Amino acid sequence: MEIALSLVGTIAGAAAVIVAIIQLRRTPRLPRVSPGDQGPAAPGTVRLPAVLAAPIGRLPEVRGRQELMHDFRQVLAQRDGRFLVVTGMGGVGKTTAALAFAEELLDAGRSVWWLSAVDALTLTDGFLELAVALGITRGEIEAARAGRTSPADLVWSCLESWSDWVLFVDNADDIDALTIGGAEARDGTGWLRPSSSGLIIVTSRISDQEAWGRFGRVVKLGSLSADDGAQVLLDLAPDAGTRDEAVLLADTLGGLPLGLRQAGAFLASPFAQPSSFAEYRQALPVPFLQLMGTRVVATWKVSLDALAGRGIPQARPLLRVLACFAPSVDVPRDLLKLEVLTRLCDPGDPNAVRVGLDALLATGLVDSHGRGSVVVHPLVAYACRLDLAPEITRAAAVLLCGAADGLRTDDPGSWPSWLGLLPHLRDLLAARTVPFDEEGLVALAKAADLVGAMLTRSGQNRESEVLVRAAFERTSLLSDNHPQRLALRYRIADVERVHGRHHAVQQTLEELLADQVRLLGADAPAVLATRGNIAWALAAHGHLVEAEARYRALLEDHVRIFGPDHPETLTVRHNIAWTIAMRGRSVDAERLLNDILAEQVRILGAEHPDTISTRHDATRAIASQGRFEEAESRFRKIYEDRLRILGADHPDTISTRHELARMMVERGDAAQAEALFKEVLRDRRRILGPDHPGTLAARYAIAWSMARRQLYGEAEAALRDVYADQDRILGKDHPRTLVTRYEIAFLLLKQGRFAEAEPLAAVTYADRLRIFGPEHPDTRASERALQAIGSGSR
C-alpha cells in the first residue's frame, strides 16, 4: 500500500491539531466608541505601550522579498475583509518580512500594532494591552479576564472603531493558542476576524488552509533564490569570496535566510575556519553544529515538539527517515511504503503515517512538488542527521531496497523511476555519519546492486561503477561471505566486463565463482550469472572454442533449472550464436539467431531490448556474408527502434550507428561513413571514456574508412596510434588488436613497402592461427595477405 500525500495538506483526522469545526459566522459589529468615551477620537492620538511596538530594531537587510512586499501592499489597498497568513518553514524569514512591511507602514504614518502569539497567555495579554491602549478601562479588562465578558469581543469593539490599522500577530505556530472562548482561528469569531476597518497579518509555520478557514488568505513564503541568498552572504561577509562562490554556497544552503545569516555571521569572523564561501560549502554538512550553531537545529525542534504536544509524535521519526534521503530532491511516492513507515509510527494505527506526513507538510518541515512526493530542505536534513538511530536508517535503506525491487531493469519504461531513486541512494551511501545496523547494510547493499544493474543495462556504465564500488566500501562491516557482498562483487566485475577489462574480469570472476559455489551452491542463479560472464570474457578475448564449450554447458543447466523459455536461457542461446559468429561461421550464427529471435518475440515482445539485440547480431551475421544492402536496411530499422526505446546516448544505439557507417563503407561511400564514424567517436568518448574498446573501435573505423579512400599514409598513422592503445588496454592477443595489426600490414602492402609489411603480416598470421585455428576467416585473410606480400616482394 502506498501513501498519497495531499499538496494543500490537511491535518484532518489529527484531533489534537485542529478541534471540531464551529459554524463560521461574522461577528456583529459592536457600537463604536464615541469620542467622549474612554476610547480614542481618531487614529494615531494614543501613545501605544512598548509591548505593542514592532521590534524593527532587529530588522536585518531584507533581500529577495520584493514580490511579497508588493503582495502586502496590494492586499492592504484592496482589502476584502480577510486576514493574511504568511506561512513557511522555520527560518524562512516570515517575521523578517513582516517587520520590513511594518517599518514601511510606520514610515507612512499608519497605525501599526505588533503582538506575539508564541502561546495563548502571551497572545491574550497582548490583545488586552491593545484594548487598554485603544481606551478600554481597566475594569472592563478585569471583567474580561474573569470571564464575565468576551475578551475577543472587547478588543474587536475597539478595533472596529478605528480605521486603516494593521495588526501583526507573529509566531502563531500553535494554532490552539488562537482559540478563545471555544472559537478557533478558522471560525472568524475569535481573536482573528474579518474586518473592513484594518488588516491582520499573521506569521505562522502552519500552511493548512483548513486551519485558517475561509476568512484567512494563506501566502506561503519560500526560500531565497541563489542570487538573493548570495547577496545576504556578501552583506555579512564581503571578504569571504567571490559572488559566484557565494551563489554556490547559497544554493547548497537551500536559500534559507536563517542558514544564510548564520553562515555569513560565521564567515565574518576573522578567526573563522573554514574562512571562505568555498571552504564552508566543502565542509558541509559534516561539522554541522560547528558551522550552523544550535539555533538552527532548535528552529525545527520547536515545530516537532509542538506536533508531539498536539498528539503527533510520529512526525519526528518520519522526518528523520526523510532526512536520510537526498535533500532538495523529490522523494517519490513509490519510495514511501506504508508498511515500513507504519512500524516507526504506530503499528496499531493505519492513519498514523498519513497524519504525520500531513503535519510535516502543514508546518513547512517538508515540501511537495507534486502529488505524493515530498522534498526536505538541506538544512533540515543535515540537522536531523545529527541524531539518527539505526532503526531510522534501516527504514530508509529498506524503503530504497523495496522500491528498487519492485522495478524491472530490462524495461526502458521503468528507467526514469530507477533514476528517481539514484540520488537518494547516492546520498545515503555518502553520508558517513549515518549509522547502520546489519539489516540496514544488507538492504543498502541490495538496493545498490539493483540500481547498479539498471545503470549498466541502461548504458550508464561509469555511473554504475562509481555506485557499486561505493556500496561495496560502505557495506564493509558485513561478512565477506554474506550473499549480498558476493552480489556486489559480481556487480563490480560486470561493470569491468562492460568496460572491456577482460583480463581483470576473468580473474575476478573465477575467484568469485569459487566463493559462490561454496556458499550458495552450484545451481544458484548468481553462480550461473558468473559462469556466463566468464564465458563472455573468454570469447571477448578470442578464446572462442573454450567460451562456446562453457556456454553450452551453461545452457544445459539453465534449461534444467529455469526451463527453455526463461529469458536468461534465451540469453545463453544468444551468446552461443554470438560466439559461433565470432568463430567465422556466420551462416550457422544467422540461423541460430533467427530461431532465438522468434522465441524472444513470443516470450519478451518485439521491442524488448534483448529481442532487438538479437536482431542486431543476426544482421551482423548477414553483413559478414557480404549481404551489405540487406544488412544496411535492417540496421536502419534497428537504429530507429533503439533510438526510440533506449535513447540516442545508449551504447547499443551508438553501436548500431557504427554498423550503419560500416555498411556505407562496404557499399563504397567511405567519405560519408567517415563523418558518421567521427560522430560515433565523439559520443563514445563522452559516454564510455577514451580507453573503452568501443571508443578504440570507432578510431579504428575512421582509419579504415581513410584507407578505403586510398589515403594510405594518413590511415597508417591513425592505425598505429590505435594499435598502441589497443596493445596497452586490450593486449596483444585480443582479436581487435590483431585486426588493427593486420590492417597496418595491408596498408604497407598497398604502399609497396614489402619489407616492412612481411614480418608484421607473418606474426599476425601466426597469432591468428594459434588463437582462432586455420579455418577462421581472419586466419585465412592473414594467410592470403602474407602470400600477396611474398608475391609482390619478388
Side-chain angles (χ1 to χ4, degrees):
M1 182 177 180
E2 298 170 354
I3 297 168
L5 297 175
S6 171
L7 283 177
V8 292
T10 174
I11 317 182
V17 180
I18 304 175
V19 291
I21 299 176
I22 301 175
Q23 181 179 4
L24 295 172
R25 60 183 176 84
R26 185 181 180 103
T27 304
R29 181 180 293 274
L30 297 177
R32 284 183 175 273
V33 180
S34 67
D37 293 333
Q38 301 266 354
T45 61
V46 175
R47 183 177 180 83
L48 300 181
V51 71
L52 301 176
I56 58 176
R58 70 187 188 200
L59 185 64
E61 185 73 28
V62 180
R63 301 290 184 183
R65 298 306 188 197
Q66 295 85 353
E67 185 176 347
L68 179 65
M69 300 299 285
H70 174 75
D71 290 344
F72 280 156
R73 299 183 196 108
Q74 289 290 103
V75 170
L76 186 61
Q78 303 170 4
R79 284 201 302 272
D80 59 4
R82 293 190 292 173
F83 55 87
L84 190 66
V85 185
V86 181
T87 71
M89 66 181 295
V92 80
K94 302 179 293 295
T95 297
T96 298
L99 284 172
F101 189 51
E103 184 174 47
E104 181 179 309
L105 294 171
L106 288 169
D107 289 344
R110 293 242 185 202
S111 296
V112 175
W113 304 304
W114 188 277
L115 302 181
S116 173
V118 291
D119 54 51
L121 180 60
T122 301
L123 182 65
T124 299
D125 286 346
F127 267 115
L128 293 179
E129 287 292 338
L130 176 59
V132 170
L134 297 179
I136 296 298
T137 65
R138 289 291 178 183
E140 291 174 296
I141 294 294
E142 292 306 318
R145 288 188 184 278
R148 294 191 296 273
T149 60
S150 166
D153 286 349
L154 186 66
V155 172
W156 276 95
S157 68
C158 296
L159 283 175
E160 293 286 43
S161 69
W162 284 56
S163 62
D164 291 333
W165 48 264
V166 179
L167 171 61
F168 291 88
V169 180
D170 189 36
N171 287 328
D173 302 328
D174 181 359
I175 199 73
D176 293 336
L178 297 171
T179 300
I180 179 71
E184 303 175 20
R186 62 181 174 178
D187 293 343
T189 59
W191 287 130
L192 302 181
R193 302 184 183 187
S195 175
S196 58
S197 300
L199 173 65
I200 296 178
I201 297 177
V202 182
T203 68
S204 174
R205 300 184 185 191
I206 300 173
S207 62
D208 180 18
Q209 181 66 60
E210 180 72 13
W212 302 106
R214 67 188 181 94
F215 295 126
R217 183 202 305 248
V218 174
V219 176
K220 190 169 183 180
L221 190 61
S223 296
L224 297 177
S225 69
D227 282 338
D228 288 327
Q231 191 57 57
V232 172
L233 292 170
L234 290 167
D235 288 342
L236 295 166
D239 300 323
T242 67
R243 182 172 188 82
D244 288 344
E245 291 169 337
V247 167
L248 290 174
L249 177 55
D251 185 62
T252 300
L253 295 173
L256 190 71
L258 176 61
L260 293 165
R261 288 197 294 272
Q262 186 69 28
F266 181 96
L267 292 171
S269 168
F271 310 108
Q273 287 296 330
S275 61
S276 68
F277 298 138
E279 291 174 355
Y280 192 101
R281 177 172 172 265
Q282 187 175 8
L284 280 171
V286 177
F288 189 78
L289 281 176
Q290 172 192 339
L291 297 176
M292 280 282 125
T294 56
R295 180 187 172 198
V296 172
V297 178
T299 296
W300 305 301
K301 184 177 181 296
V302 168
S303 296
L304 292 170
D305 289 344
L307 290 175
R310 295 169 196 160
I312 316 179
Q314 68 268 32
R316 193 182 306 273
L318 287 172
L319 181 61
R320 286 175 173 169
V321 170
L322 294 174
C324 293
F325 301 130
S328 302
V329 178
D330 276 349
V331 179
R333 62 185 300 171
D334 291 341
L335 190 54
L336 302 177
K337 300 296 182 183
L338 183 60
E339 59 271 20
V340 177
L341 294 175
T342 299
R343 290 198 292 268
L344 285 174
C345 300
D346 183 354
D349 183 2
N351 291 318
V353 174
R354 177 186 60 79
V355 171
L357 290 173
D358 276 343
L360 291 174
L361 188 64
T363 53
L365 288 170
V366 300
D367 203 349
S368 179
H369 293 163
R371 182 173 179 79
S373 69
V374 294
V375 181
V376 182
H377 191 280
L379 295 187
V380 175
Y382 299 152
C384 288
R385 290 180 187 180
L386 294 173
D387 185 23
L388 291 180
E391 61 265 23
I392 297 294
T393 56
R394 180 197 315 139
V398 169
L399 287 171
L400 274 170
C401 184
D405 210 16
L407 297 171
R408 288 174 49 190
T409 60
D410 62 346
D411 177 17
S414 70
W415 290 347
S417 297
W418 282 104
L419 294 176
L421 303 179
L422 183 58
H424 302 299
L425 179 56
R426 282 175 174 160
D427 211 71
L428 204 52
L429 288 170
R432 293 297 176 183
T433 58
V434 174
F436 283 99
D437 59 14
E438 182 173 352
E439 184 182 347
L441 287 176
V442 170
L444 191 64
K446 184 176 181 181
D449 178 36
L450 293 169
V451 175
M454 180 281 304
L455 290 170
T456 299
R457 190 70 188 247
S458 63
Q460 301 176 74
N461 304 319
R462 287 192 282 188
E463 292 83 353
S464 178
E465 181 170 17
V466 170
L467 180 76
V468 295
R469 288 191 184 278
F472 191 74
E473 179 185 351
R474 188 72 170 87
T475 59
S476 60
L477 292 179
L478 293 176
S479 166
D480 287 340
N481 293 332
H482 194 285
Q484 208 54 61
R485 288 284 285 177
L486 296 178
L488 286 176
R489 285 172 60 191
Y490 170 83
R491 191 62 57 204
I492 292 171
D494 191 51
V495 172
E496 294 273 1
R497 175 187 68 82
V498 174
H499 278 304
R501 303 164 191 161
H502 308 125
H503 283 306
V505 169
Q506 186 175 344
Q507 181 179 352
T508 300
L509 288 174
E510 294 284 9
E511 295 171 357
L512 174 62
L513 181 62
D515 291 339
Q516 286 177 324
V517 171
R518 175 171 51 85
L519 297 168
L520 305 177
D523 287 348
V527 170
L528 301 182
T530 300
R531 288 170 57 192
N533 271 1
I534 291 173
W536 185 94
L538 287 166
H541 205 68
H543 304 305
L544 301 174
V545 175
E546 183 181 356
E548 184 178 342
R550 292 211 185 197
Y551 272 134
R552 290 193 181 278
L554 182 62
L555 179 61
E556 292 179 7
D557 291 336
H558 266 275
V559 172
R560 174 174 56 84
I561 297 168
F562 298 134
D565 288 348
H566 192 278
E568 293 298 328
T569 305
L570 298 177
T571 296
V572 176
R573 290 176 59 192
H574 177 134
N575 289 338
I576 291 173
W578 167 70
T579 307
I580 289 171
M582 291 182 66
R583 294 184 65 184
R585 294 155 49 196
S586 57
V587 174
D588 293 339
E590 181 189 358
R591 174 179 53 80
L592 291 172
L593 288 166
N594 284 334
D595 290 343
I596 297 163
L597 182 61
E599 295 297 302
Q600 287 177 322
V601 170
R602 175 177 62 85
I603 296 167
L604 303 176
E607 294 197 337
H608 191 280
D610 288 356
T611 306
I612 298 176
S613 291
T614 301
R615 287 168 54 199
H616 185 273
D617 282 356
T619 306
R620 290 190 66 181
I622 290 171
S624 296
Q625 300 169 50
R627 295 150 57 190
F628 300 126
E629 290 187 7
E630 180 184 355
E632 182 177 355
S633 175
R634 292 195 180 199
F635 276 133
R636 288 194 183 279
K637 181 62 172 69
I638 293 168
Y639 177 69
E640 291 172 2
D641 291 342
R642 280 182 160 171
L643 185 64
R644 174 172 50 86
I645 296 168
L646 303 179
D649 281 352
H650 194 285
D652 288 353
T653 307
I654 297 172
S655 292
T656 305
R657 284 166 56 199
H658 182 106
E659 293 299 326
L660 272 173
R662 193 165 67 88
M663 295 305 98
M664 292 177 188
V665 174
E666 296 290 4
R667 289 192 303 98
D669 192 358
Q672 184 178 352
E674 185 179 332
L676 186 54
F677 279 135
K678 288 179 178 178
E679 292 179 8
V680 170
L681 175 61
R682 177 200 64 205
D683 290 340
R684 281 180 170 168
R685 274 180 173 153
R686 173 173 55 86
I687 297 167
L688 303 177
D691 288 349
H692 191 277
T695 306
L696 300 178
R699 289 171 56 193
Y700 166 86
I702 292 171
W704 176 62
S705 60
M706 289 179 182
R708 287 300 185 97
R709 293 168 58 200
Q710 299 184 359
L711 302 173
Y712 299 134
E714 295 177 41
E716 180 195 345
L719 283 173
R720 288 189 183 277
D721 287 342
V722 174
Y723 178 75
D725 288 337
Q726 286 176 328
D727 188 17
R728 171 177 57 87
I729 297 166
L730 304 178
K732 292 184 182 299
D733 286 349
H734 193 279
R736 291 182 180 176
T737 308
L738 296 177
V739 166
T740 304
R741 197 197 304 163
Y742 166 83
E743 285 294 330
I744 293 172
F746 185 77
L747 286 176
L748 292 172
L749 169 63
K750 284 290 187 180
Q751 296 174 74
R753 294 156 59 186
F754 303 112
E756 297 174 67
E758 186 169 10
L760 195 59
V763 72
T764 303
Y765 171 67
D767 288 340
R768 281 178 163 174
L769 184 63
R770 170 174 54 85
I771 296 169
F772 302 137
E775 301 303 320
H776 193 281
D778 287 357
T779 307
R780 291 176 178 175
S782 285
E783 184 178 19
R784 289 194 298 271
L786 192 59
Q787 292 170 352
I789 292 170
S791 299
S793 63
R794 290 193 293 270

